[in-house]
Each structure stands twice: as C-alpha cells, then as structure tokens.
Amino acid sequence: MRPILFIVVPCYNEEAVLPITAPAFESKIKELIQKGKVSEKSRVLFVNDGSKDRTWEIIQSMAKDSVYYTGISQSRNRGHQNAVLAGLMESKSRCDITISIDCDGQDDIDAMNDMVDAYLNGCEIVYGVRSKRDTDTFFKRFTAESFYKLLNWMGVEVIFNHADYRLISSRVLEELSNFKEVNIFLRGMVPLVGFKSTSVYYERHERIAGESHYPLKKMLALAFDGITSLSIKPIRMITGLGMGIALMSFIGVVWSVVMYFIGNTVSGWASMTSLICFIGGVQLICLGILGEYIGKIYLETKARPRYIISERTYANENNG
C-alpha cells in the first residue's frame, strides 16, 4: 500500500514567493504519485504563521482551485518552530509520512524522491542535509557552521548542516507528540525520539523571492533557545567557572598574606578595581544564564498551548 504524504510548509509573509513555490510542491506530489511512490491522497499543507500580508488569502484561494492544496492558519504569529510543529501534529493522523520544508524555494524539492525511497526502505526519519555552502557569504557560512558546532559541543544532538527539511513518519510523530515542552527546538528534539534514520544530501539555492525571515539576530536567538532547552551544560560551565575564580582568589589571598609578612606589599587601586570589575561581570553573566533557565521553567509550568489553529481550509476539529 502506497503511503500518504503530506508536505508541510510553514509560511510567514510569503505572498511574493508562495505563487512560485506552491506549483512546484504540487508538481512534486503529482510526480511521486505517478511513479507509484505515494498515495493519491497526498497533499501540500500550508501553515500560515500569523502573516500580516495576503499569505492566508492566497492559501485559501489555492485550496479552492486544487485538491492537492490544504491549509491551516494560526491565531497569531508564534514563530517558525511552532508553525512546523502545528503542521506536523495536524498531519499525523491524516497521513503516513510528512516532509517539512520552507516556502522560500531554497531547499531542493527533488531530494524528496530520495527521502521517500529511504522511507520505503525502512527509515522512519530522513534528514535533508546541505552538501555545501558555496552560495553563502563567508560570514554566513562561518556563523552557520559555528552554530552547529556550538550546539554539539553543548551536548545538543543535532545533524550538522540540517535545518528543518526532513521526512518523519506518522509513527515518529505520535511519539514526538508526547514531548510537551513549550520551548521548542525541533532540530534537537527529533533525534531524541530515536527510530531508524538516515540523511539525504542536496544543494541549497538562493531564495526565489521575498526577504529572509532569519537574520543573524534570530539565528542567535534560535541557537540560544536550542542550548538552554536541551542542555544543562551552561550551568555546569558556571559551576566550573566559579570554582576556577574561587581558586584564583584563594591563591591571591595567600600571595597577599605572604607579601605582607615579608614586607613587600604593593599599594594600588588599579589592579583591585580591575579584579572587582572582572568578578562582577562574571557574576552578572552567570546570573543572566541562570535567569534564562528560570524563565524557561516559568514558561513550562504555565503549560500554555504551543500553537492555536484559528482557521482551516477543510472541515476538521483536531486540537492543537
């Protein structure tokens, strides 16, 4: 029996690029159906993440014109990760496999063929991984690669050069739905589920139209969210740093006492002021990191919904 595929596409202010990439997604669905790899019930599910432009109106219009298009709209903008999760959870009871992909046309949709083949060969998760970053500037390439290396060093299990282009089976999605945390970082959460997985490599292209919604500021915020949501290594680093400073302070006290008794004291406020400022700065950084974790605990205890679906292009009452 051929699997039902849902291509999950998060959208935020994509009115410029959606009319270009949507037909490509539909063509890929039809191609996979014609090759006998997926069912005729396969669909493209657009997730409107509280767009301020005409994105949702375009999705509704496309859903009326083609049976292959369907869509859901969030009640407000909740971020890329929550939008992807909303699409995955909405799809898990309606299909056998999902492939999440951004709307900007940068990810090579032909890699979906290899993803579906890997699933048919027994893999439950297939990661789309960039084979190279030749189209990126040196700065973007350096920061992106540093991002993955930092996450791995902090103990977060992520696939190098993998974003959110991946195939996930409904079996894995059922287990992923048991992860109830509010602070979501799917790149680190999906590997935690386990099951047989593999990677498919592809070349990423330039954005077809519109502007990128992931500038450096958001990338840094995503990295910090990933670290603090899935790793406690920063807290352990604080402990180690505190022990190191305490040891240096103890050595300094011993040195001062020795200098006092041999009559070789050195008077001066510059060194003392520098030391005080250094320790004060370290304390503030440590308090900031601890505060970030406490803030996340505060949000988790509230157990607020991770997404709220306000509209659908079809009659369905699934809960988010």
Side-chain angles (χ1 to χ4, degrees), residues 239-252:
T239 304
L241 182 61
M243 293 175 63
I245 293 176
L247 178 61
M248 288 190 294
S249 300
F250 177 74
I251 294 174

Side-chain angles (χ1 to χ4, degrees), residues 260-290:
Y260 174 79
F261 281 108
I262 66 176
N264 192 24
T265 57
V266 179
S267 60
W269 59 269
S271 58
M272 182 61 69
T273 302
S274 299
L275 183 62
I276 291 173
C277 290
F278 172 73
I279 295 176
V282 170
Q283 287 176 332
L284 289 175
I285 292 173
C286 294
L287 285 173
I289 294 175
L290 290 173

Side-chain angles (χ1 to χ4, degrees), residues 71-113:
I72 58 176
S73 181
Q74 297 211 82
S75 59
R76 53 157 293 174
N77 176 253
R78 296 180 183 274
H80 179 269
Q81 297 292 282
N82 295 75
V84 175
L85 182 70
L88 295 178
M89 294 300 103
E90 183 80 3
S91 303
K92 66 182 175 66
S93 61
R94 305 174 60 205
C95 66
D96 300 300
I97 50 176
T98 62
I99 296 179
S100 57
I101 184 172
D102 288 342
C103 187
D104 53 22
Q106 289 186 273
D107 296 316
D108 184 8
I109 63 172
D110 288 333
M112 293 185 185
N113 297 57

Side-chain angles (χ1 to χ4, degrees), residues 183 224-225 228-229 291-301:
N183 300 286
F224 199 69
D225 280 343
T228 54
S229 297
E292 184 70 22
Y293 276 95
I294 293 172
K296 287 186 178 294
I297 294 171
Y298 174 69
L299 292 175
E300 293 291 344
T301 57

Side-chain angles (χ1 to χ4, degrees), residues 32-49:
L32 292 171
I33 292 173
Q34 290 174 356
K35 291 182 177 180
K37 294 184 178 181
V38 300
S39 169
E40 294 83 357
K41 297 180 181 179
S42 298
R43 298 289 183 266
V44 181
L45 173 64
F46 296 102
V47 184
N48 176 45
D49 188 24

